[in-house]
Amino acid sequence: MKRAIIITGGAGFIGSHVVRLFVNKYPEYKIINLDKLTYAGNLANLKDVEGKPNYKFVKMDICDFEGVYKLMQDEHVDGIIHLAAESHVDRSIKDPFTFAQTNVMGTLSLLQAAKLYWESLPEKWEGKRFYHISTDEVYGALELTHPQGIEPPFSTKASSGKHHLAYGDKFFTEDLKYLPHSPYSAAKAASDHFVRAYHDTYGMPTVVTNCSNNYGPYQFPEKLIPLFINNIRHKKPLPVYGKGENVRDWLYVEDHARAIDLIFHEGKIAETYNIGGFNEWKNIDLIKVLINTVDRLLGRAEGEDLNLITYVTDRAGHDMRYAIDSSKLQKELGWEPSLQFEEGIEKTVRWYLENQDWMDNVTSGDYQKYYEEMYKGR
Ligand code: NAD
Ligand code: TYD
């Protein structure tokens, strides 16, 4: 095998797309999916790659420093793509300790295991890479603005030079100071700082990326898009936080996975890259697109389910607007999102409607038996 790469959190939403891409695209690499299988980890997300000779699953907690160190030694690991994390803001508000443990201590445990193993080799850091996947939420929240009294969204251009619709005139760029608000984003921010510290202090070849909100198949239905698609299908209420005016910047998950592939191979050491498709949506507008798409695909009358919209108490500390400026990635490495949002949403809604078994398994909790059935005795 040309390389051995650990992908942490590979049984989760984004991780499963990254594992699938790497296993299929690089038969000469050994891809090791290291995942603790928390409630968010589901090996059924990876059924199609399970039998491939270059794929291996290891059930392990990233906080298990000795286990990670031994795995790196046994498999001669030269790259880590780190996605494992507690990822849901609402859960972080209820249980911040778990977020600090996994996102901060877990990242530190991986960094230290990689440091000790790579430093013990004759070639040391050469040919090694620690790639940490982070979020735009570490930058804090942007405002909705009305330049010259124009009601957002208005046409603007970030430093990409291309026009797009935006809800404000500021964007998250890589040089911004971190200002996280939620326990989730605070824990992610702390982990990003540790990754940079390992480069600056020990010389570890690291790279960090901060991506906007992802959507697509296999996302756990606690997050807005899969939760609402499933609720619309079953005519259950859609709990819209506050007035539904918060803005998120959405990227199709496979476009994130392609960016990760590119940056893992060609990104500059010690750099940070923002990943996003200049695609801002006000929650309530996005929810209406979801309702219309589900209704159309199920042959229901247009707008039939708009009455499911239910305004509920706002999330504590709810960030108003996220908007990523990904010009650096686009200019330096030539990455572009491949899908228009309308296409991506149509594909996503179709996938959830056609994969009701996956959704039923996840909502019933049965998916957690999959590991026992598939991996027992291996
Ligand atoms: P997810 O919650 O769907 O999956 C997380 C995975 O990590 C699961 O498979 C889980 O079992 C595993 N995991 C959790 N704790 C672990 C531990 N202690 N040891 C080993 N494995 C553990 O998350 P996601 O949405 O796929 O996000 C993946 C990464 O991308 C996270 O680091 C997140 O911060 C980042 N990110 C997510 C988004 C998004 O919109 N979802 C956007 C930008 C960045
Ligand atoms: P979410 O998918 O949790 O992602 P994040 O908080 O990381 O951006 O939420 C996306 C947006 O949707 C966010 O502004 C909160 C809002 N939201 C609701 O209004 N209702 C819900 O039930 C959920 C889960 C989210």
Side-chain angles (χ1 to χ4, degrees):
M1 292 282 175
K2 214 167 140 202
R3 299 197 69 161
I5 300 168
I6 289 180
I7 299 181
T8 71
F13 165 48
I14 304 172
S16 63
H17 289 274
V18 178
V19 166
R20 177 174 299 102
L21 176 67
F22 273 68
V23 168
N24 289 329
K25 187 168 171 189
Y26 302 108
E28 72 279 21
Y29 292 180
K30 181 160 192 183
I31 302 302
I32 303 151
N33 173 10
L34 187 163
D35 200 296
K36 182 183 174 183
L37 298 182
T38 66
Y39 79 94
N42 182 359
L43 285 175
N45 296 356
L46 286 166
K47 268 187 191 154
D48 52 327
V49 298
E50 212 160 56
K52 301 258 167 123
N54 63 335
Y55 172 71
K56 177 172 178 170
F57 173 69
V58 177
K59 186 174 187 313
M60 192 180 282
D61 188 331
I62 53 169
C63 299
D64 175 2
F65 162 76
E66 279 164 20
V68 175
Y69 179 75
K70 182 164 185 321
L71 181 67
M72 291 192 73
Q73 261 185 333
D74 291 349
E75 299 286 355
H76 307 286
V77 170
D78 58 11
I80 295 182
I81 304 179
H82 175 35
L83 295 110
E86 289 292 336
S87 68
H88 190 42
V89 174
D90 295 328
R91 284 182 192 256
S92 82
I93 294 169
K94 294 199 185 93
D95 175 20
F97 281 108
T98 305
F99 281 68
Q101 178 64 16
T102 289
N103 299 2
V104 187
M105 295 308 289
T107 301
L108 184 54
S109 143
L110 281 179
L111 284 164
Q112 185 64 5
K115 172 187 180 291
L116 292 187
Y117 173 57
W118 289 338
E119 276 186 342
S120 74
L121 300 173
E123 77 280 10
K124 303 211 183 290
W125 304 120
E126 209 184 304
K128 310 298 186 301
R129 179 154 291 216
F130 189 107
Y131 179 177
H132 178 63
I133 310 297
S134 191
T135 166
D136 57 357
E137 307 194 20
V138 297
Y139 294 120
L142 296 166
E143 296 295 314
L144 307 188
T145 55
H146 304 72
Q148 285 118 39
I150 309 170
E151 196 53 33
F154 45 83
S155 179
T156 185
K157 51 182 184 179
S159 50
S160 67
K162 288 184 198 148
H163 282 272
H164 52 88
L165 289 178
Y167 283 82
D169 40 16
K170 293 212 169 55
F171 297 88
F172 293 142
T173 49
E174 288 85 354
D175 53 0
L176 273 192
K177 195 169 119 184
Y178 276 21
L179 278 174
H181 297 297
S182 71
Y184 163 63
S185 53
K188 288 297 290 186
S191 66
D192 298 8
H193 290 316
F194 269 109
V195 175
R196 295 196 179 95
Y198 266 65
H199 171 267
D200 296 350
T201 308
Y202 308 111
M204 181 179 281
T206 58
V207 65
V208 177
T209 56
N210 299 82
C211 190
S212 59
N213 284 60
N214 284 217
Y215 70 98
Y218 302 113
Q219 186 168 29
F220 195 81
E222 62 187 351
K223 306 278 168 60
L224 180 76
I225 290 184
L227 176 72
F228 278 33
I229 294 173
N230 197 42
N231 283 10
I232 300 164
R233 177 181 201 146
H234 294 104
K235 293 200 175 276
K236 288 201 217 148
L238 308 174
V240 180
Y241 298 161
K243 294 185 184 148
E245 281 179 350
N246 303 65
V247 171
R248 295 291 181 266
D249 186 357
W250 294 94
L251 182 69
Y252 192 65
V253 62
E254 287 179 7
D255 281 330
H256 188 188
R258 281 194 309 106
I260 290 173
D261 174 21
L262 182 67
I263 294 162
F264 179 73
H265 290 97
E266 292 176 32
K268 281 198 218 128
I269 286 170
E271 287 287 327
T272 296
Y273 298 90
N274 281 350
I275 309 174
F278 295 105
N279 179 41
E280 293 178 50
W281 282 79
K282 197 192 270 196
N283 287 345
I284 193 66
D285 294 338
L286 166 60
I287 290 161
K288 287 178 184 162
V289 171
L290 290 176
I291 293 172
N292 287 335
T293 312
V294 175
D295 282 350
R296 178 167 48 75
L297 292 177
L298 290 178
R300 296 179 185 166
E302 197 183 324
E304 180 178 312
D305 290 319
L306 284 168
N307 63 350
L308 298 175
I309 292 176
T310 310
Y311 291 95
V312 299
T313 310
D314 208 355
R315 173 187 278 173
H318 197 173
D319 287 338
M320 184 46 88
R321 169 176 171 250
Y322 301 144
I324 274 277
D325 183 342
S326 58
S327 317
K328 174 175 167 181
L329 175 61
Q330 303 203 355
K331 281 188 205 142
E332 290 185 13
L333 299 182
W335 173 88
E336 291 264 358
S338 68
L339 279 187
Q340 291 297 315
F341 190 58
E342 288 69 14
E343 293 172 77
I345 280 292
E346 173 96 14
K347 249 178 115 155
T348 302
V349 172
R350 272 185 198 283
W351 189 88
Y352 284 101
L353 295 181
E354 284 164 8
N355 289 276
Q356 191 59 44
D357 288 357
W358 181 90
M359 183 61 83
D360 290 344
N361 248 320
V362 175
T363 43
S364 69
D366 279 354
Y367 66 106
Q368 288 175 319
K369 296 181 194 136
Y370 191 82
Y371 171 74
E372 293 302 320
E373 280 155 23
M374 290 309 299
Y375 287 83
K376 214 170 23 187
R378 279 202 203 175

